[in-house]
């Protein structure tokens, strides 16, 4: 089964072809980081226009590298949400139009399901069931995963997600966009113990998160009369340590409560080296194991969308060939239905 995947939920334009027996046949990815850096954040209208400009080019390039025509595909999967409404509509329109012309199904895919399933593409994939820690952009969630489409929400952020907190803290420290990776690099050079920063909801007794107070604490330190520019690396290190400590504690608690011994970590923050080191160390003490996607699959990409679509089709997803352009900028992952029950 050959599936073309299209990802256009925010500021990356991703296209890939996944074949169920041979894996990823070809992929292309364009980031809009330089486009939005001037504004210090994503401008939705500019993001949509850039997707319009690049998607046809990247689709042709990917199919050519895979040695395929559109008519050789079994389906086209695209990100239908969550994400920026305009950006999602671009990907959905291209996918539905191509599928209609080729007489094949188009499958709306949940962006977070793509991230959640991406570790299954590794050489040593996790087996179902497992606990998933999703740390992607505006989402920080813990899920109990039984199978494709069978998800139970265990906890989520009540305000700023981890990724948002990284980007906002980077902006406070005067770093460029995207700020998360730059802050992580800066933190690697600092001493985390200089400043006392909160660990929000660390002892809340549930599996929810909150990072807005931590971001405010960083702002208060950086705005104080005693602040010096040379403290920047130490403040970055302290912030990162606080986020890592909370994420790890909640993830380990989720493993203990569910009785599972496999943790999947996916999303952009999942590439953070300090987080990976802490999760690995704490998991060993629980007799558990942590699975990550390849670093290039942590950010938004077409491979994860093609793979998620293929997994649903293999498991009997019912898909209509009638072109219906439907996107959901807000789409709770727990609302997804298992394959075979139609699109939620």
């Amino acid at each position: 089964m050959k599936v073309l995947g299209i990802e256009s939920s925010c500021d990356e334009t991703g296209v890939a072809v996944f074949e169920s027996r041979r894996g990823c046949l070809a992929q292309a990815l364009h980031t809009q980081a330089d486009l939005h850096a001037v504004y210090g954040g994503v401008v939705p209208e500019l993001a949509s226009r850039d997707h319009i400009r690049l998607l046809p080019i990247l689709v042709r390039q990917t199919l050519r590298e895979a040695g395929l025509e559109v008519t050789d595909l079994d389906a086209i999967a695209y990100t239908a949400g969550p994400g920026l409404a305009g950006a999602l509509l671009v990907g959905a329109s291209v996918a539905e139009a191509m599928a209609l012309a080729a007489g094949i199904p188009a499958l709306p895919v949940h962006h977070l399901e793509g991230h959640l399933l991406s570790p299954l593409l590794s050489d040593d994939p996790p087996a179902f069931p497992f606990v998933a820690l999703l740390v992607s952009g505006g989402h920080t969630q813990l899920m109990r995963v039984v199978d494709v489409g069978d998800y139970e929400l265990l906890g989520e952020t009540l305000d700023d997600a981890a990724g948002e907190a990284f980007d906002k803290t980077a902006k406070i420290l005067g770093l460029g966009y995207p700020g998360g990776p730059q802050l992580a690099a800066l933190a690697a050079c600092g001493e985390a113990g200089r400043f006392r920063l909160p660990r929000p909801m660390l002892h809340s007794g549930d599996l929810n998160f909150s990072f807005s107070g931590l971001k405010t604490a960083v702002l208060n330190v950086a705005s104080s009369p005693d602040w010096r520019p040379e403290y920047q690396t130490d403040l970055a290190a302290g912030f990162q340590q606080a986020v890592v400590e909370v994420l790890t504690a909640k993830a380990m608690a989720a493993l203990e409560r569910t009785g599972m011994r496999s943790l999947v970590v996916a999303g952009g923050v999942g590439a953070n080296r300090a987080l990976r080191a802490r999760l690995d160390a704490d998991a060993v003490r629980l007799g558990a194991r942590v699975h990550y996607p390849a670093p290039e699959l942590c950010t938004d990409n077409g491979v994860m969308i093609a793979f998620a679509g293929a997994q649903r089709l293999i498991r009997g997803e019912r898909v209509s060939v009638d072109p219906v352009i439907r996107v959901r900028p807000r789409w709770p992952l727990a609302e997804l239905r298992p394959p075979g029950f139609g699109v939620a």
Side-chain angles (χ1 to χ4, degrees):
M1 178 177 292
K2 294 180 284 291
V3 179
L4 177 73
I6 293 176
E7 157 61 30
S8 66
S9 63
C10 190
D11 58 347
E12 269 95 25
T13 311
V15 180
V17 175
F18 178 82
E19 207 274 335
S20 54
R21 290 177 299 175
R22 293 182 289 164
C24 180
L25 302 183
Q27 65 166 312
L29 180 66
H30 171 77
T31 178
Q32 300 175 0
D34 291 342
L35 175 66
H36 301 292
V38 179
Y39 307 96
V42 176
V43 181
E45 177 66 18
L46 295 180
S48 300
R49 290 177 180 273
D50 208 49
H51 290 310
I52 292 172
R53 178 177 68 88
L54 282 168
L55 255 181
I57 298 171
L58 296 184
V59 167
R60 285 194 295 269
Q61 173 187 325
T62 303
L63 288 174
R64 183 171 61 250
E65 291 180 4
L68 299 173
E69 300 290 339
V70 177
T71 50
D72 296 322
L73 299 170
D74 295 290
I76 300 176
Y78 63 92
T79 302
L84 302 174
L88 293 169
L89 282 168
V90 174
S93 299
V94 170
E96 292 286 356
M98 289 178 60
L100 177 64
I104 58 177
L107 177 64
V109 170
H110 196 292
H111 178 77
L112 292 182
E113 182 171 55
H115 277 300
L116 185 153
L117 298 179
S118 60
L120 298 177
L121 286 161
S122 67
D123 294 334
D124 185 19
F128 294 106
F130 53 77
V131 170
L133 172 63
L134 295 174
V135 276
S136 171
H139 304 274
T140 299
Q141 299 177 331
L142 280 163
M143 307 292 299
R144 180 177 178 269
V145 180
V146 177
D147 201 345
V148 174
D150 192 350
Y151 312 128
E152 176 190 356
L153 180 66
L154 301 175
E156 62 182 339
T157 186
L158 304 181
D159 41 57
D160 283 355
E164 288 177 313
F166 262 95
D167 286 340
K168 291 177 181 178
T169 297
K171 194 167 187 177
I172 291 171
L173 296 179
L175 304 179
Y177 173 86
Q182 294 188 45
L183 189 147
L186 189 66
C189 304
E191 294 291 334
R194 179 183 290 272
F195 302 102
R196 291 173 62 99
L197 296 176
R199 271 63 173 163
M201 299 189 71
L202 182 62
H203 303 293
S204 62
D206 56 32
L207 297 176
N208 291 325
F209 303 89
S210 170
F211 294 105
S212 64
L214 175 60
K215 170 204 65 185
T216 301
V218 170
L219 178 61
N220 290 338
V221 170
S223 303
S224 70
D226 299 327
W227 173 254
R228 297 179 183 177
E230 57 264 32
Y231 293 161
Q232 186 186 52
T233 55
D234 292 341
L235 186 54
F239 166 82
Q240 178 176 264
Q241 184 185 70
V243 173
V244 166
E245 186 175 332
V246 172
L247 290 175
T248 302
K250 297 282 186 173
M252 295 304 112
L255 288 173
E256 292 185 303
R257 293 188 187 189
T258 60
M260 296 183 183
R261 288 297 174 263
S262 292
L263 174 69
V264 159
V265 181
V269 181
N272 184 280
R273 293 181 179 179
L275 176 61
R276 289 192 175 202
R278 182 65 181 270
L279 285 169
D280 288 339
D282 283 20
V284 168
R285 287 193 282 271
L286 281 184
R289 185 177 174 193
V290 189
H291 298 265
Y292 309 94
E296 63 270 19
L297 297 183
C298 287
T299 57
D300 297 347
N301 61 87
V303 182
M304 69 181 191
I305 302 304
F307 178 72
Q311 295 309 300
R312 284 189 158 268
L313 291 171
I314 289 169
R315 286 166 168 79
E317 182 74 75
R318 300 173 187 170
V319 184
S320 172
V321 294
D322 295 329
V324 178
I325 299 175
R326 182 188 301 115
V327 298
R328 295 186 62 178
R330 295 184 180 273
W331 189 3
L333 182 59
E335 289 184 2
L336 274 183
R337 300 174 184 175
F341 291 85
V343 178

